[in-house]
Amino acid sequence: MPKQIVPAANLLTPQLGAAAAVSVLGLGVASQMWGFWAGAVAGILDANTAFKPLPKAESMPSPRLVPDVDALKTIIRKNASDNSPKVVELPVVEVQAPVAVKEPAQPAKIETATAPDDLKRISGVGPKLEQVLNGMGIRTYAQIAAWSPEDVAQVDDRLQFGGRIGRDDWVGQASGLAGKSKD
């Protein structure tokens, strides 16, 4: 019977596989232990900050700024024991009227009866930009065609296009498309 020659690599394959498995298992256990230790340290640090000692007397606010609690309790008890209705004078605080915030003017609003146009036919407007424009209330060519230079600048700023609306001449394109859609 002839002698069979077995390559040495075949003899080491099971042992190398076992060593790789043990290494991976060891790394998994080590990472779990690291996570446990890091969580414990974070918990200790969090607990340490939650139970800080009270501030020293030097850092307390001055007595002028702290209300006299005993005097307030006395006034409340006195008013509660007296059954006659009293007019209590409250301190007057000046309140400024709220400042009216002016919403920026929206370019030409949509009429509810008008069906939306396919704004993607304007050069430079894709499906995503059409959705953004529709979200701004811009759905027809007529709206874009009616934009003033201020409206163009406002929409350009809002979309952060850096003048692209003017360079692509959306107003001119929309005017042409609005004329074709009416025909």
Side-chain angles (χ1 to χ4, degrees):
M1 182 158 144
K3 216 176 193 186
Q4 190 174 16
I5 300 175
V6 178
N10 289 345
L11 296 174
L12 294 176
T13 302
Q15 291 81 2
L16 291 175
V22 169
S23 298
V24 169
L25 185 63
L27 288 173
V29 170
S31 66
Q32 288 293 323
M33 293 305 293
W34 170 255
F36 175 74
W37 180 83
V41 169
I44 290 169
L45 292 174
D46 189 36
N48 187 28
T49 57
F51 299 111
K52 285 190 172 180
L54 293 175
K56 296 181 181 175
E58 303 92 44
S59 64
M60 293 294 286
S62 65
R64 300 181 270 142
L65 302 177
V66 178
D68 187 4
V69 176
D70 292 329
L72 290 175
K73 286 181 182 178
T74 305
I75 293 170
I76 292 170
R77 286 186 192 117
K78 182 176 143 187
N79 288 340
S81 64
D82 192 9
N83 291 336
S84 63
K86 291 195 173 198
V87 177
V88 179
E89 292 185 30
L90 298 175
V92 178
V93 178
E94 289 186 35
V95 178
Q96 294 180 353
V99 178
V101 177
K102 184 183 175 198
E103 289 283 327
Q106 292 293 327
K109 294 290 181 189
I110 181 173
E111 298 85 29
T112 56
T114 306
D117 291 326
D118 183 16
L119 299 180
K120 295 184 298 278
R121 292 181 59 196
I122 296 174
S123 174
V125 178
K128 179 65 180 169
L129 184 53
E130 182 181 36
Q131 289 177 351
V132 171
L133 291 171
N134 288 340
M136 293 171 59
I138 303 164
R139 292 184 171 86
T140 64
Y141 301 132
Q143 286 176 299
I144 297 173
W147 282 354
S148 67
E150 292 81 20
D151 291 334
V152 170
Q154 179 187 0
V155 173
D156 196 69
D157 288 343
R158 187 164 176 192
L159 297 175
Q160 299 177 348
F161 278 169
R164 179 174 140 194
I165 294 174
R167 286 192 305 271
D168 289 349
D169 189 29
W170 284 14
V171 175
Q173 290 183 58
S175 296
L177 291 168
K180 289 179 185 177
S181 67
K182 288 181 183 179
D183 295 339

